[in-house]
Structure formats: structure tokens, C-alpha cells
Amino acid sequence: MNKTSSFTVGIVGATGAVGQELLRLLHERNFPIGTLRLFASARSAGKVMEFAGKKYTVEEARAGVFAEVDVAFFAAGGPVTRSLASDAVKAGCLVIDKSSAFRLDPEVPLVIPEINPQALRRHKGIIANPNCSTAVTLMALWPLHQRFGLKRYFAATYQSVSGTGADAVRELEDQVQAHTKGQPLPRKVYPYQIAFNVIPQVDTFGANGYTGEETKMMQESRKIMDLPQLKVSASCVRVPVVRAHSVAINAEFERPVSVEQARAAIAEFPGAQLVDDPAKQQYPTPLDFTRKVKCGVGRIRVDTALDNGLALWVSGDNLWKGAALNAIQNAELMVREGLLRPKAALTGV
Ligand SMILES: NC(=O)c1ccc[n+]([C@@H]2O[C@H](COP(=O)([O-])OP(=O)(O)OC[C@H]3O[C@@H](n4cnc5c(N)ncnc54)[C@H](OP(=O)(O)O)[C@@H]3O)[C@@H](O)[C@H]2O)c1
């Protein structure tokens, strides 16, 4: 790789659930990495991690570390993005952020490359990526919107524990083990036991009774699809699934829609895979759509309570399309379009 084709890539939050998938996907998708820098909190500084058979020492993420980084994937939570992104941007480093810190900032593009890739062109140093439930939901709704005009949708989510992060996966596993041994169930991450249970709360409650996750689904759907008047009502639920979120959607459209037309729209869309054969009991499940690039869409039927309505089901990997994959797809697109170049190539160093 020469200086014009390879990048100094940083991962902030490299030790976390999303950070691990960023590493795996950057390698699997052959992203043009010249130098890799791994960042996390001071707790992880000095830890050694492997990437493509080479060992890397984790550094503490702090101001000043981005001077030589071309592109940094931020996956360490909103407060870390808010405190470090501007420092990275000043250093000429493109920030591709997984947190909610800047998603609704009108100056920051919020991009799903299959839906609004044109928004990447107006970035000012930061690209935001959607919340995981929104990303998975829109992989089903966007192709339907393009044909039939989306008016409003209702969603009930079935969200896996990896959406909360690495500690939550351990909590589910520990609770299952403790249960099988007849021991008291340890609980730190969730307000209720998650093993053998469901928790109708994802994120904190707002004054209107909706949670942050439910509000994000409305606001981010509007911004990404450029539908500022879109009506959305979501109920977000945590379920004892390790990985991949599922969403039951009821959507109303401007124009009449049949099941066959809807299936054809989904089948043609690059972000979705149609799995929909009731006679053979075929529909997507989270296990089947773990570590899959596409989100699975099925259970498509005419909604019996809405005009021009459809009921459907989508499963997609929250750590891939909902997080790491979407971020990398945005970076790949920027490289292809010449919107991201190594600093060394620009300065001729
Ligand atoms: N999980 C998902 O499905 C998903 C989907 C979409 C978006 N996101 C977003 O992605 C981000 C990461 O989520 P996650 O699920 O990967 O969480 P996680 O598993 O808890 O990992 C958090 C990462 O952030 C690092 N970190 C924490 N405090 C830090 C600090 N002060 N400075 C630098 N690094 C710090 C942690 O490093 P240490 O190991 O040193 O603590 C760890 O690497 C969050 O903004 C989340 O909202 C997650």
C-alpha cells in the first residue's frame, strides 16, 4: 500500500462491543489501513489486542492523539465523542461516530449509505451513524417508502443485549449460568433480570413517557429519509437475545400496496433480504441475521387496521448494520467518491 491508498485509522472504543466488530469488519472488508491506532479509556491503556495477526497496544483516548490519524471511528459513547470529536476534526481527522452525540445536529450528516449517501458530501468533519433500531427498521421501510410513500409507522422492537454493550452480554450469560446452578442472579446493567424476561425500557424515560430509544427512532427516521412530518410511534423492548435486533412494524402508505409489490420492493433493495414464505414457516430470526450484511424482512401482510397498510418483521445485526458495518460502509463510500484521502497524500509529506 502506498501513501495515497492507505489510511491511518483510529478506533475509539476499540475494546467495546462495537469496537471489536469494527476491527473484524475492517479486516474482512479489506479497508485500506496503513497504520492502525486503538484507543479506549485509561483503564485499558497498555492492553494488547490483535488485528490481522499483528499486536497493537491500546492507547488512552485523549486530546492530541489524532494528529496523524486520517479517519477515526468513535464507538465509546456520547460523552467521549462530545469531548474529543472537535479535537480530532481540528487535526484534520474525519470522525465517523456511532454515538447519538451529533445525530440530530443539522450541520452533521446522519447517513445510511443505501438511503442518503448524498448527505456525506456536506460533512464538516463529522459523520453520524444511526441508532441500531432505526438502522434495522429503515432497511425494511426505505424500499417500501420509495414505491408507496410512507405516511406513518408503528414499531415494537425486540432488542438484543449486545445493543447495550459488552457488559450486558456478560450479564445475560452470568444470569443464565447462575439460574442453572440455582444461585442468586447477578444484576448490574439492567433495572430488572434480563434472563428469561423482557424489559419494556431501552434508554431513559422522557417527560412524554417515551424512552430515548423510542424518540430516536422517530427523529432519526425523519432526518435520514428526509421526511420531517413522518409520524412514528415506537415501543422499544429489551429481550434476552445476545445479538441482532428485530422489529415488528405496522406502516401506512400514501398509495395502495399489495403483499406481492412489497415483497418485490424488498427483494430488489441491496440492504435487505426477503425471507417470507409462510407455507414453509420461513421468516427472519435474529440468529439467522447475526453477522449478516443485509437485514432480513418477512411476515409481510396487509395490515388489517390501517389504510394502505402493511405489517412486517425485520431482523438485523445491531453490531453490524446497526453500528460497525454502517460506519465502515460510510467510510468506504467516502474513499470511493474521493471524499476521504490520507493527510499525507494531501500535504505531499
Ligand atoms: N452496541 C450496539 O449495538 C450499538 C449500536 C449502535 C450504536 N452504539 C453506540 O456505540 C458506542 C459504543 O457502544 P458499545 O456497545 O460498543 O459499548 P461497550 O461495549 O460498553 O464499549 C464501550 C467502549 O468505550 C470505551 N470507553 C468508555 N469510556 C471511555 C473514555 N472515557 N475514553 C475512551 N474510551 C472510553 C470503552 O473502553 P474501556 O474498555 O477502556 O472501558 C469501550 O471500548 C455507544 O455510543 C453506543 O451508543 C452501540
Side-chain angles (χ1 to χ4, degrees):
M1 266 176 217
N2 60 39
K3 279 180 184 167
T4 52
S5 65
S6 67
F7 295 85
T8 298
V9 174
I11 299 181
V12 182
T15 52
V18 176
Q20 295 291 306
E21 296 303 318
L22 280 164
L23 278 169
R24 171 194 291 264
L25 285 169
L26 285 167
H27 180 51
E28 281 182 14
R29 296 172 71 90
N30 211 12
F31 192 84
I33 297 178
T35 304
L36 181 66
R37 304 270 300 273
L38 304 182
F39 303 104
S41 76
R43 294 179 292 276
S44 302
K47 188 177 169 183
V48 175
M49 293 175 68
E50 265 199 33
F51 175 79
K54 277 173 68 179
K55 292 196 186 324
Y56 292 84
T57 303
V58 176
E59 303 169 61
E60 181 185 355
R62 50 186 167 70
V65 297
F66 301 102
E68 281 158 24
V69 180
D70 297 309
V71 52
F73 295 93
F74 273 62
V80 175
T81 296
R82 273 189 285 273
S83 78
L84 289 179
S86 63
D87 181 70
V89 172
K90 274 189 211 130
C93 168
L94 176 74
V95 171
I96 302 196
D97 184 34
K98 265 315 308 161
S99 82
S100 58
F102 292 106
R103 285 184 193 144
L104 299 180
D105 184 329
E107 297 293 309
V108 174
L110 173 63
V111 184
I112 295 180
E114 293 92 337
I115 299 179
N116 60 338
Q118 69 287 352
L120 291 171
R121 294 199 167 268
R122 55 174 186 78
H123 84 86
K124 294 178 178 162
I126 303 176
I127 308 287
N129 289 266
N131 157 268
C132 40
S133 308
T134 308
V136 170
T137 302
L138 296 196
M139 287 297 96
L141 284 179
W142 175 250
L144 299 173
H145 165 63
Q146 284 182 299
R147 295 223 187 161
F148 313 111
L150 184 61
K151 252 171 92 175
R152 59 176 165 162
Y153 78 85
F154 304 88
T157 69
Y158 300 68
Q159 298 185 222
S160 70
V161 293
S162 59
T164 314
D167 289 347
V169 176
R170 270 189 295 276
E171 178 150 310
L172 173 58
E173 288 169 351
D174 289 350
Q175 286 184 356
V176 171
Q177 283 202 2
H179 176 83
T180 57
K181 291 179 190 155
Q183 295 169 347
L185 272 54
R187 185 162 61 70
K188 271 193 263 163
V189 177
Y190 294 118
Y192 294 90
Q193 174 185 327
I194 184 64
F196 316 108
N197 202 6
V198 298
I199 302 176
Q201 178 189 354
V202 179
D203 208 340
T204 53
F205 287 99
N208 62 358
Y210 281 83
T211 63
E213 186 88 348
E214 291 160 353
T215 303
K216 283 176 200 165
M217 286 187 74
M218 176 180 71
Q219 293 173 327
E220 296 179 22
S221 294
R222 288 175 172 174
K223 181 169 175 177
I224 295 165
M225 296 193 290
D226 194 19
L227 292 172
Q229 306 304 327
L230 181 69
K231 291 182 176 173
V232 177
S233 179
S235 298
C236 291
V237 181
R238 190 71 65 189
V239 297
V241 165
V242 171
R243 187 159 163 166
H245 291 353
S246 301
V247 189
I249 305 169
N250 301 79
E252 189 172 55
F253 299 91
E254 302 284 352
R255 297 180 283 284
V257 48
S258 72
V259 170
E260 278 62 41
Q261 288 170 319
R263 284 183 179 150
I266 297 290
E268 284 169 21
F269 182 55
Q273 182 184 334
L274 183 72
V275 186
D276 195 17
D277 190 344
K280 294 183 182 158
Q281 299 187 74
Q282 285 180 352
Y283 36 75
T285 72
L287 277 181
D288 292 329
F289 280 85
T290 289
R291 295 203 176 87
K292 293 281 160 56
V293 169
K294 296 186 180 197
C295 297
V297 182
R299 297 291 328 273
I300 300 175
R301 57 221 190 266
V302 169
D303 190 283
T304 47
L306 295 173
D307 295 329
N308 299 336
L310 286 174
L312 59 150
W313 171 263
V314 54
S315 296
D317 192 329
N318 52 293
L319 292 174
W320 277 30
K321 191 60 192 170
L325 174 68
N326 195 77
I328 293 174
Q329 287 173 323
N330 275 329
E332 290 170 343
L333 187 55
M334 293 190 68
V335 173
R336 278 202 301 279
E337 304 259 310
L339 298 170
L340 175 58
R341 297 211 185 92
K343 284 187 245 184
L346 295 174
T347 56
V349 177

